[in-house]
Amino acid sequence: MPVSIADVAQCAGVSRTTVSHVLSGNRPVSEEVANRVRAAMTELGYVPSRTARNLARGSTQTVGLLVPDISNSFFADLAKGVEAACIENGFNVLLCNTGWNREREVFYLETLRSRAVDGVLYASGATPAASTLAELLAGLPVVAVDEALPGVTVSSVSSDNRQGGRAAAEHLLSLGHRSAAVIGVNSELASSAERLDGFQRQWKKATGQRAMVIEGSFDEDSGARAARDLIPAIRAREVTAIFATNDLNALGAMTILREAGIGVPHECSVIGFDDFIAARHAFPPLTTIRQDATLMGTKAAQALLTQLSGEGARRHTVLPVELVVRSSTAESPSAQ
Ligand code: RIB
C-alpha cells in the first residue's frame, strides 16, 4: 500500500494539516516540526503525488481552453500559443472544442469548474446569455480570447478587427472596386460585427454606399452558400469583390466561383481574414488580413497566469492586424 499523508502525520506526531502545510509551503510551520515531518517522509519513503501536492497548494495547475472549432487551423495555432506559455509555467491545458454551440460552451464551463481548473481561457463562438455567463464564471479567473464576452468584466486579448475590416475595404477600393459583398457575417459575434463595421465605414466614406451583406458563419459552407447566391450579381458585374469575414469563408466561396467558371481575381476579387496556413496554398493564393493566432494564445495565457499569481490588473490587449496581398485580388473588371 502506498504511504499516505496520514501515515506521515502519525509517524511525525503531527496533524495531516501540518503535513500539508509543510508540503505546500503555504503556511508557516516551525523549523523543528518541518524537520520532523521531512524525516518521517524519508523514513517511510513517502512520495507526494502530483494530485496531493496540488490539493495542498489549492491548485490543480490546470487551465481550461475553450475554442469553437479545433479543425480550423486558426484555433490550432491559438492553442499552440496557449500550450507553450502554460507548459513553460508548469500548467497543463484541458482543450474543449465547443463546435460554435452554446449548450456545449455551458457544458464545458460546468465541467471545467467541477474539475477545479485554476482558470479558463475562453474563445467563445456562441456566447451564453449574460446572466448565465456571469453565473458560470463567478469566482473563476477568466481571460476572453479572440471574442468578447458581453456582460462580464474579464481581461481580454483579441485582434484589431475593425482595423482589419477597414484595411480590406481600402485594399479593394485602391483596386477600383466600387461594388462589394461582405460574406459570413454573424452579428452576434463581436469579431464578425467589428470586421463588418470597419469595412462598411470605409466603403461608405469612399463610395457613398454600404456594401451588400450576406449573413453566415465562420466556415466553408457559409462561404460556398454566399458565393452561390452571388453568382448572378457577379456575372452582371453588380458585385466585383468579396470580403469574407474569415479565410474558411473565402476558400468556400472561391471553390464555388471556380466551379461556376468565374475567374478569381479577374471577374471577382476575394479577400479573407486570418491568414491561416491554407491561405497561401489556396488557388489562387488568398489575399487576406493577417492576425497572429499563436501570439494571441500566448498573450492570453500569460494574462491568465499573471492573474493566477495574484499580480496584474484587468487588461484589454488588442493585437495589430496586417494586410497580406496575394493573387486573389486584382483591379476591378469595371475599372478596366
Ligand atoms: O477563422 C475563425 C475566425 O473566428 C477567426 O477569424 C477568429 O478571429 C474567430 O473569430
Side-chain angles (χ1 to χ4, degrees), residues 72 74-75 100 146-147 161 189 191 195 218 245-248 273-274 291 296:
N72 179 339
F74 172 86
F75 292 111
W100 303 105
D146 178 47
E147 198 56 62
N161 291 304
L189 294 178
S191 62
R195 289 167 202 179
F218 281 135
T245 49
N246 77 335
D247 285 351
L248 274 178
F273 202 110
D274 283 352
Q291 48 172 348
M296 190 185 286

Side-chain angles (χ1 to χ4, degrees), residues 21-331:
H21 292 338
V22 173
L23 279 171
S24 69
N26 280 349
R27 297 275 169 80
V29 175
S30 77
E31 201 47 36
E32 187 268 318
V33 171
N35 284 341
R36 210 152 15 106
V37 170
R38 283 191 209 104
M41 286 179 189
T42 313
E43 187 185 329
L44 299 174
Y46 173 75
V47 182
S49 74
R50 176 183 275 251
T51 315
R53 213 169 35 225
N54 287 341
L55 282 175
R57 273 190 196 145
S59 149
T60 53
Q61 297 293 106
T62 305
V63 302
L65 167 64
L66 274 76
V67 296
D69 180 7
I70 50 166
S71 68
N72 179 339
S73 68
F74 172 86
F75 292 111
D77 287 342
L78 190 150
K80 266 204 266 179
V82 167
E83 187 198 22
C86 286
I87 296 270
E88 202 181 304
N89 288 281
F91 278 76
N92 292 317
V93 182
L94 287 181
L95 176 63
C96 308
N97 178 43
T98 57
W100 303 105
N101 180 291
R102 187 157 293 136
E103 283 69 43
R104 274 233 246 151
E105 290 198 5
V106 172
F107 166 77
Y108 274 128
L109 288 172
E110 284 169 348
T111 305
L112 291 173
R113 284 197 85 104
S114 72
R115 296 198 166 228
V117 294
D118 293 332
V120 170
L121 293 160
Y122 189 0
S124 180
T127 321
S131 57
T132 315
L133 201 60
E135 214 171 286
L136 285 166
L137 302 183
L140 193 62
V142 175
V143 173
V145 198
D146 178 47
E147 198 56 62
L149 294 175
V152 288
T153 328
V154 293
S155 290
S156 66
V157 182
S158 59
S159 287
D160 194 341
N161 291 304
R162 218 169 244 113
Q163 171 54 25
R166 203 175 302 139
E170 272 166 7
H171 175 61
L172 295 176
L173 289 163
S174 76
L175 294 168
H177 294 275
R178 292 296 177 267
S179 44
V182 185
I183 68 170
V185 174
N186 176 353
S187 34
E188 285 188 12
L189 294 178
S191 62
S192 186
E194 286 168 9
R195 289 167 202 179
L196 174 66
D197 184 59
F199 188 94
Q200 291 288 39
R201 279 171 192 267
Q202 199 60 28
W203 201 257
K204 176 113 195 283
K205 206 158 111 189
T207 67
Q209 289 165 28
R210 294 191 164 268
M212 179 193 290
V213 174
I214 301 192
E215 300 275 330
S217 44
F218 281 135
D219 56 51
E220 265 169 287
D221 287 349
S222 156
R225 272 195 307 275
R228 254 181 230 113
D229 291 351
L230 285 171
I231 287 172
I234 294 170
R235 291 215 164 105
R237 293 207 179 163
E238 286 158 15
V239 166
T240 63
I242 292 175
F243 170 41
T245 49
N246 77 335
D247 285 351
L248 274 178
N249 262 276
L251 297 195
M254 288 209 297
T255 302
I256 295 300
L257 297 183
R258 192 167 51 245
E259 281 170 14
I262 292 175
V264 174
H266 299 294
E267 288 173 87
C268 182
S269 285
V270 178
I271 179 168
F273 202 110
D274 283 352
D275 196 24
F276 71 172
I277 182 79
R280 75 200 71 156
H281 303 296
F283 183 74
L286 184 66
T287 295
T288 190
I289 304 295
R290 175 171 165 66
Q291 48 172 348
D292 192 334
T294 308
L295 181 67
M296 190 185 286
T298 307
K299 293 263 180 213
Q302 285 168 346
L304 183 62
L305 298 177
T306 307
Q307 207 171 310
L308 293 179
S309 69
E311 294 162 27
R314 230 160 248 138
R315 290 186 57 173
H316 300 291
T317 306
V318 179
L319 302 173
V321 295
E322 180 195 0
L323 170 70
V324 179
V325 179
R326 296 200 181 94
S327 317
S328 65
T329 48
E331 201 180 322

